[in-house]
Amino acid sequence: MTTVSNEAGGTLGPRASLWFSLVLTLLLGALSGLVMFPAAQHLRSLADGRPAQATMRTNGPCMAGGCLVAFEAGGRTVSAELPVGSSGRVRTGDSVDVRYRADDPRVVARAQDVGGGGAMVLAVVSGVVALLFALLAVWSAFFLRRRRRRRPVG
């Protein structure tokens, strides 16, 4: 069975490797199912939103949220935050196409993301990696059990 090395030169035992795989499975599964999939659904819900031309107010990647845009809606300037799962890297002052809800213009997404954007990609990737870690955990548990049965008694 393969073990994981740590920085001190030792290794994690088979049980620690099993727990490590289980924890990663849960974390990646939660990221996929509880964060990124709902974010992709939210982005898709704005596909029929009203279009507008917005100006970016922040720099950086928007995948984790926190990117601000400003645009005109209903005769007033609205400042809104792009949701988690927005794709692309932007700079302050860049012009972007957005879609917003008519009843609440603060609910906005970049027009290129209303198909699910990077959120759907990350949901699928983290789900697949979670599945791989789950298979690794099952494999580890199987070999731990086999090894325990083969030990000589005495």
Side-chain angles (χ1 to χ4, degrees):
M1 176 186 282
T2 305
T3 55
V4 179
S5 296
N6 65 20
E7 291 180 14
T11 58
L12 294 176
R15 287 180 192 246
S17 296
L18 174 63
W19 283 108
F20 181 75
S21 296
L22 289 173
V23 168
L24 279 176
T25 298
L26 291 175
L27 289 175
L28 289 168
L31 174 66
S32 180
L34 300 175
V35 177
M36 298 317 294
F37 185 72
Q41 294 297 87
H42 172 69
L43 289 168
R44 285 182 174 167
S45 75
L46 292 166
D48 294 331
R50 290 193 176 159
Q53 191 68 29
T55 303
M56 293 302 301
R57 298 287 184 215
T58 54
N59 284 326
C62 299
M63 181 59 76
C67 288
L68 295 174
V69 295
F71 59 97
E72 292 289 324
R76 64 184 177 100
T77 301
V78 176
S79 183
E81 186 174 325
L82 293 175
V84 170
S86 299
S87 61
R89 186 166 184 84
V90 294
R91 295 188 317 247
T92 301
D94 284 354
S95 180
V96 294
D97 294 323
V98 295
R99 293 200 175 261
Y100 66 92
R101 280 202 184 124
D103 59 339
D104 186 3
R106 291 171 295 155
V107 179
V108 64
R110 290 172 57 176
Q112 71 186 40
D113 293 333
V114 295
M120 188 52 81
V121 172
L122 191 56
V124 170
V125 168
S126 61
V128 167
V129 173
L131 182 61
L132 291 175
F133 273 107
L135 291 173
L136 178 65
V138 168
W139 182 76
S140 296
F142 174 76
F143 281 102
L144 269 174
R145 189 169 178 94
R146 257 182 93 188
R147 192 174 92 176
R148 194 177 315 141
R149 285 184 185 175
R150 287 186 180 176
R151 283 189 184 159
V153 178

